[in-house]
Each structure stands twice: as C-alpha cells, then as structure tokens.
Amino acid sequence: MSFAISTLEQGLVYGIMALGVYISFKIINFADLTVEGSFTLGAAVTAKLITSGVNPIFSIMVSFLAGGLAGLITGFLNTKLKITELLAGILTMTALYSINLRIMGKSNIPMLSNKSILDYFSFAGNYRNILFFGLIMIFLVLLTNYFLQTRTGFALRATGNNQQMVRSMGINTNTTITLGLIISNAYISLAGSLVSQYQGFADAGMGIGTLVAGLASVIIGEVLFRERNILWAVISAVVGSIVYRGAIAVALTIGFNPTDLKLLTAILVVIALSLPGLKKIVLSSN
C-alpha cells in the first residue's frame, strides 16, 4: 500500500513538470533545455524563502514567477538575439546553475524543521500528499486545457505546427514562442518548488535528469493515449508521469542500483519511442 501511495505522490508532483515539458516540446515544438535549471530554480527560491520565515504559499508564487522569468530569458535569446533554441536553452540552464547557488548560498538547504505547504493538509493523515498534489494537478489540467482552447492557446498550438502559416495570418510567432516558454518553465519551477517541500530539502543538483524524465513521461503518455483531444493530451502527460515513476519504483524494488536510474530512463524512452514503429511492423507482417 505504501508503495502505491509513494508512486502516486511522485507521479502527481512530477506530473506538473511533465506538463511543462509537454507545452514546450509538443505545443510550441521547442526543444527547451532550460528545464533542468528552472526546476532547481523553483526549489532554490522556495527553500531560501521558507527557511527565512516566508509563508510557503507566497514562496510557491515567487518560484512560479521565477520560472516564468527563466523561460522569458530563453525566449529572448532565441527570438530576439537569434540564438538557436538548443543553444538558448543550454545558455539559460548554465547560467541558472550559478544563479541557483547564489540564491541558496550553499549546495543544499534542509527544510525538515520548517513549515511546508503540505502541513496545511495534515488533516488527511497519510493521504495528505496525494490530496494536495491531486488537487493541484486537477486545477492545472483544467486550466491548461482551457487555455489551449482559447485564441491565444490556439496561436501557440498553431505556432508549433506551422510557424510560416501562423506568420501569414499576422500572428507574431516570437511572442507565441516566448509565451509558451514562460508558461512551460513556470510550471516546471512550480514542480521544483513542490518537490523540494515534499522531499524536505533543496539541492543544487536536483534538476539533473529532469528533462529526460519529463520527456519519458510525455512519450509514455502518448503511447497510452494515441487518439485524443487536447484534454486527453494534457491528461496523458500526467498519466505518463505516474507510469514512469511506477516503473522506476519497481526497478528499485527488484534490486536495481539508484545509479542505474538514468540508464533505465533512457531505455524506457527508447522503448516508448519504438512502440509505434514496432506496432506497424507487426501489423504489416500479418
């Protein structure tokens, strides 16, 4: 029972990061490598503020805005300075590593003795984390689904599909790309903020591997939900996160070394990417 609860908790909280990765990689079709920096940024800002006596709710809000600012910088480097998307993300991610250390003042900040947002849900007992993360996830899924079906959201989706067509309609693609990156990294920073409170600490290296984990969640979700509308596409990223965390938990349970997790993640991504092609081969052979 505790295994299932822990897997669901991690799947939900990291699902927020998966939503952010989904927006950048799938909606605006931007290979954004800022993820690993903005995830840690959310954790660093939250840890610093909470240990300084700031209310956890306010700390989360500041982390959310800080992540949006990181996305804005990447968007500026790409759209205004004409730096390629991969290099723009790498530059922001690299700069954020030093910025995060500056914010924290050291490489690790423990928060076990400080009040977190999860303490407000202590009435739920052992299910407090699932209740809080579940409520946050439902809100973000509905909000994301609503936004992506507005005119602005449609412009973002169209930008990811065909930038030339969007420009011919008089839409500024520089604006839509930057907006998508702001929203994506704000979500990812929010995930970092909540993960740091869930784990009870913030670490300068906690963002390492989050990009691949987020991509794995999105890809796994796509495999599970092949035919879908926008709502199901958003939900699939969250479900993919839960499945991914479950697979990692099972791997650790059966004896895999924690140092093998990155390798396991890479294998999961390869398998998930290969499934559609393998399915076509099987069907054609029959």
Side-chain angles (χ1 to χ4, degrees), residues 222-227 271-286:
E222 279 192 331
V223 171
L224 295 176
F225 298 89
R226 297 304 299 174
E227 300 294 334
I271 293 173
L273 286 172
S274 304
L275 284 178
L278 292 174
K279 184 178 179 180
K280 289 182 180 179
I281 294 175
V282 173
L283 291 176
S284 61
S285 63
N286 293 335

Side-chain angles (χ1 to χ4, degrees), residues 7-216:
T7 299
L8 186 56
E9 289 173 353
Q10 293 184 39
L12 288 172
V13 69
Y14 281 100
I16 301 172
M17 178 195 67
L19 280 180
V21 172
Y22 169 76
I23 290 172
S24 60
F25 277 79
K26 293 297 181 180
I27 296 299
I28 61 173
N29 194 26
F30 191 103
D32 183 23
L33 301 184
T34 314
V35 176
E36 298 190 0
S38 56
F39 182 86
T40 308
L41 176 63
V45 170
T46 296
K48 187 64 175 181
L49 290 176
I50 288 180
T51 54
S52 298
V54 177
N55 184 281
I57 298 176
F58 181 76
S59 301
I60 291 173
M61 294 171 60
V62 175
S63 298
F64 184 83
L65 295 175
L69 180 59
L72 175 63
I73 293 172
T74 300
F76 176 81
L77 293 176
N78 175 249
T79 61
K80 299 300 181 182
L81 301 186
K82 304 305 178 183
I83 298 174
T84 61
E85 57 186 52
L86 285 174
L87 184 55
I90 290 173
L91 289 172
T92 307
M93 177 186 67
T94 303
L96 282 175
Y97 183 81
S98 295
I99 292 172
N100 292 334
L101 284 174
R102 280 281 186 176
I103 292 172
M104 297 171 66
K106 50 186 176 180
S107 61
N108 185 286
I109 297 181
M111 295 186 290
L112 293 175
S113 60
N114 300 99
K115 185 175 183 179
S116 74
I117 188 68
L118 296 170
D119 291 326
Y120 291 104
F121 289 77
S122 57
F123 62 86
N126 294 334
Y127 299 98
R128 68 166 193 172
N129 297 340
I130 291 179
L131 176 62
F132 175 69
F133 294 146
L135 290 174
I136 290 292
M137 185 53 65
I138 291 173
F139 173 75
L140 290 178
V141 165
L142 294 178
L143 178 64
T144 305
N145 176 62
Y146 172 78
F147 171 74
L148 291 177
Q149 298 191 61
T150 62
R151 292 183 62 180
T152 304
F154 177 79
L156 260 67
R157 291 157 55 193
T159 298
N161 289 329
N162 192 325
Q163 287 193 32
Q164 185 175 353
M165 179 196 72
V166 173
R167 284 192 291 267
S168 68
M169 297 170 60
I171 299 174
N172 190 331
T173 55
N174 288 345
T175 301
T176 54
I177 289 173
T178 302
L179 178 60
L181 291 173
I182 291 173
I183 297 172
S184 169
N185 284 282
Y187 275 24
I188 293 166
S189 187
L190 172 62
S193 173
L194 296 179
V195 168
S196 66
Q197 295 181 69
Y198 172 66
Q199 295 181 341
F201 68 91
D203 188 87
M206 67 188 298
I208 297 175
T210 52
L211 174 59
V212 177
L215 280 174

